[in-house]
Amino acid sequence: MAATVIDGTQVAADVVETVKRETAKLVKDTGVVPGIAVVIVGEDPASQVYVRSKGKRAEECGFKSVTHRLDASTAEADLLALIAELNADPSIHGILVQLPLPKQIDEGKVIQEIAPEKDVDGFHFINVGKLGTGELETAYVPCTPAGSMVLIRRTLGKSDLSGLNAVVVGRSNIVGKPMANLLLAANATVTIAHSRTRDLPALARTADILVAAVGRPEMIKADWIKPGACVIDVGINRIDAPELGEGKTRLVGDVAYGECAAVAGSITPVPRGVGPMTIAMLMANTLTGACRAAGVEPPAY
Ligand code: GUN
C-alpha cells in the first residue's frame, strides 16, 4: 500500500490558526500582545527571504513584529548592544537572530547573550539543557524538530511513543540532537546515526520512526525503510534538474521520495513537508513566551 503523504502545509496552517485564535484570546484576557524581534545582519538573499516570511506570518498572527536590518559590516559589540536592548524590552517576547552571521561576529557568543526566556530558536545553553533534562514546560524547543514532532504526533495519532524505535540520521545541534531528545521525552527508543555509523541501512530498517536530517540529496533509499514506518524528511537540497530544461533546478529531501513512499506507512514530501512547520513553530514559540510572561498556560499543538 502506498504511504500516507504527510501534508506539512496543511498542519502548519492549522498551527498558525491556533496561534491566531489563542493570541486574540490572550490580548482580550490580559492585554499582552505577543512581540517578536527578528535581527538580520547583511544581505544574504536566502536569509532575506526567510526574514520577510517570518515578519509577514507574525503580523498575520496578530503579533507586534519588528525587524532590525543591520549592515554586513556591523561590529559584534553593536549587535550585542541591540540584543541587550531587546532583552530589556517588555513588549518583546521572542528574539531571533537570523543565522549565518558575517564572519567578524561570533555566532555562539551572540546566541548566549539572548535572554533564555526570549530565545524562541531554542539555541541558548539553558534551553538546550532544559530539553536534555526533560524540562519541556519551561524550555523553548528549536522550531524544525518541534514541527517534526507535531507531524509525528498527528500522523501516528498519539503523543506517547512507548515501544517504538526511532532513528535520527544526523547529529546537528539545530535538528538531530534536539529531535532525538524530543523523541526520547515522548518515550521512543532512540538511536542517533551519522556519517560514522556502521551499516546505516540496517540500522535505519529498525526504525518505526525515521528522521532524516543530513543534507545529502536522496541518500535514504527504499531498502533502508521498515515497511509501514513513519518517515520524516528534514532535508532541503537544491539539485540540478536538466529534465526540466537547461539550467533548471529542483528541491529534494534526504530521502529518495518515490521509492521510499512505496515502502513507508507515512512520509513527508519535499517541499511542503517539514519546511512549512518551521515558521509555524516560531510563531507558536513566540506565543508561548507571551503566555509565560502573562502567567497563562500556553496552547499545545
Ligand atoms: N538560519 C537558518 N535556519 C535558521 C533558524 O532556524 N534560526 C535562525 N536564527 N537562523 C536560521
Side-chain angles (χ1 to χ4, degrees):
M1 211 174 71
T4 302
V5 180
I6 302 170
D7 186 346
T9 305
Q10 162 69 45
V11 177
D14 188 66
V15 167
V16 168
E17 271 315 305
T18 301
V19 172
K20 276 188 207 172
R21 190 181 65 238
E22 295 296 320
T23 295
K25 188 164 177 298
L26 180 72
V27 174
K28 184 165 147 282
D29 293 351
T30 69
V32 173
V33 179
I36 181 167
V38 176
V39 181
I40 178 166
V41 187
E43 304 296 328
D44 178 62
S47 293
Q48 295 281 347
V49 173
Y50 290 137
V51 164
R52 261 197 304 277
S53 322
K54 287 167 186 171
K56 217 175 104 205
R57 196 50 54 83
E59 278 167 23
E60 233 180 272
C61 288
F63 294 177
K64 169 183 170 173
S65 165
V66 289
T67 303
H68 294 268
R69 296 174 191 280
L70 307 184
D71 193 83
S73 65
T74 299
E76 184 180 280
D78 292 333
L79 177 57
L80 294 178
L82 172 60
I83 289 172
E85 225 176 85
L86 295 170
N87 282 343
D89 182 343
S91 75
I92 295 297
H93 304 97
I95 302 171
L96 181 141
V97 178
Q98 185 68 29
L99 304 177
L101 290 168
K103 58 182 182 315
Q104 75 276 15
I105 299 177
D106 178 344
E107 272 182 15
K109 187 167 171 189
V110 168
I111 289 167
Q112 302 313 321
E113 287 297 320
I114 297 171
E117 65 277 12
K118 298 190 178 189
D119 166 40
V120 282
D121 260 329
F123 294 166
H124 192 288
F125 292 151
I126 292 275
N127 287 311
V128 175
K130 283 182 173 183
L131 173 58
T133 51
E135 289 290 322
L136 295 171
E137 291 296 308
T138 63
Y140 284 109
V141 177
C143 300
T144 301
S148 301
M149 206 59 207
V150 172
L151 295 179
I152 292 168
R153 274 203 300 273
R154 293 192 183 198
T155 301
L156 300 183
K158 56 185 177 186
S159 311
D160 186 345
L161 307 179
S162 294
L164 297 180
N165 291 334
V167 174
V168 179
V169 189
R171 54 175 158 175
S172 70
N173 290 333
I174 292 182
V175 182
K177 287 177 196 163
M179 188 75 232
N181 271 323
L182 279 174
L183 289 160
L184 188 60
N187 299 321
T189 302
V190 184
T191 309
I192 304 180
H194 48 78
S195 55
R196 308 290 175 91
T197 298
R198 180 153 37 92
D199 202 353
L200 197 43
L203 179 65
R205 270 194 304 277
T206 67
D208 302 299
I209 299 166
L210 181 64
V211 180
V214 272
R216 290 182 57 182
E218 301 180 316
M219 181 178 90
I220 291 175
K221 308 296 185 196
D223 65 352
W224 297 36
I225 308 290
K226 177 176 179 174
C230 174
V231 178
I232 304 292
D233 190 352
V234 182
I236 301 177
N237 311 287
R238 189 165 285 286
I239 61 165
D240 291 336
E243 72 279 9
L244 299 178
E246 200 186 310
K248 296 284 188 195
T249 61
R250 65 189 173 96
L251 290 179
V252 297
D254 294 344
V255 175
Y257 180 81
E259 59 183 84
C260 291
V263 185
S266 51
I267 187 166
T268 59
V270 176
R272 293 182 286 281
V274 173
M277 294 302 293
T278 300
I279 291 185
M281 296 318 291
L282 177 65
M283 300 303 121
N285 279 354
T286 304
L287 174 59
T288 294
C291 287
R292 287 174 183 164
V296 169
E297 182 73 22
Y301 300 92

